Amino acid sequence: MSLLLDAGGLIALERDDSETWALFRRARRTGQPPVTHGGVVAQVWRGGTGRQARLAAALRSTQVVPLDEALGRSAGVLLAGSGLDDAVDAALVALCRSGDRILTSDPDDLAALASAARLDIDIIPL
């Protein structure tokens, strides 16, 4: 079981939300680091020295998967099946396996994508 983070999850870590950090740390202790992909990082990363220290620390402990052609195709299939249009969210759901959890600020869309993927995942709203 993995914990996946959308942009809202990473922003919550950056804002030092204690509940989000507790979930993040619990996931790390299981031996499976939290997971996201490069498109999600692009949504939140603004860089610069000292600007996003908490986010940088979280990303060091997160498995960041490349948003490559295979993941893009999987995401596209989910978009077709759900009627939605957010490729970044679809790619995150495409990384999921049944039993995974997604920490999100967009629970309705992620639930629709999970349904299109026929996945039994836990959507944790922020």
Side-chain angles (χ1 to χ4, degrees), residues 10-11 13-15 21 24 28 41 44-64:
L10 290 175
I11 289 168
L13 292 170
E14 182 178 17
R15 291 183 178 159
W21 275 108
F24 185 86
R28 285 183 33 221
V41 174
V44 299
W45 185 256
R46 298 299 174 261
T49 304
R51 288 193 61 203
Q52 294 182 297
R54 286 187 197 102
L55 178 58
L59 288 172
R60 281 192 294 275
S61 299
T62 301
Q63 179 185 357
V64 180

Side-chain angles (χ1 to χ4, degrees), residues 2-10 35-37 40 43 71 75 78-79 81-97 100-126:
S2 295
L3 176 67
L4 289 93
L5 303 165
D6 79 348
L10 290 175
V35 177
T36 196
H37 63 75
V40 174
Q43 288 181 315
L71 184 54
L78 287 179
L79 292 174
S82 67
L84 298 173
D85 61 6
D86 188 327
V88 172
D89 283 350
L92 192 65
V93 172
L95 291 174
C96 289
R97 302 295 170 252
D100 285 349
R101 300 171 296 152
I102 297 181
L103 189 57
T104 179
S105 58
D106 194 7
D108 294 337
D109 283 356
L110 275 285
L113 289 161
S115 178
R118 296 190 172 120
L119 288 172
D120 181 23
I121 60 175
D122 188 16
I123 307 290
I124 305 169
L126 293 169

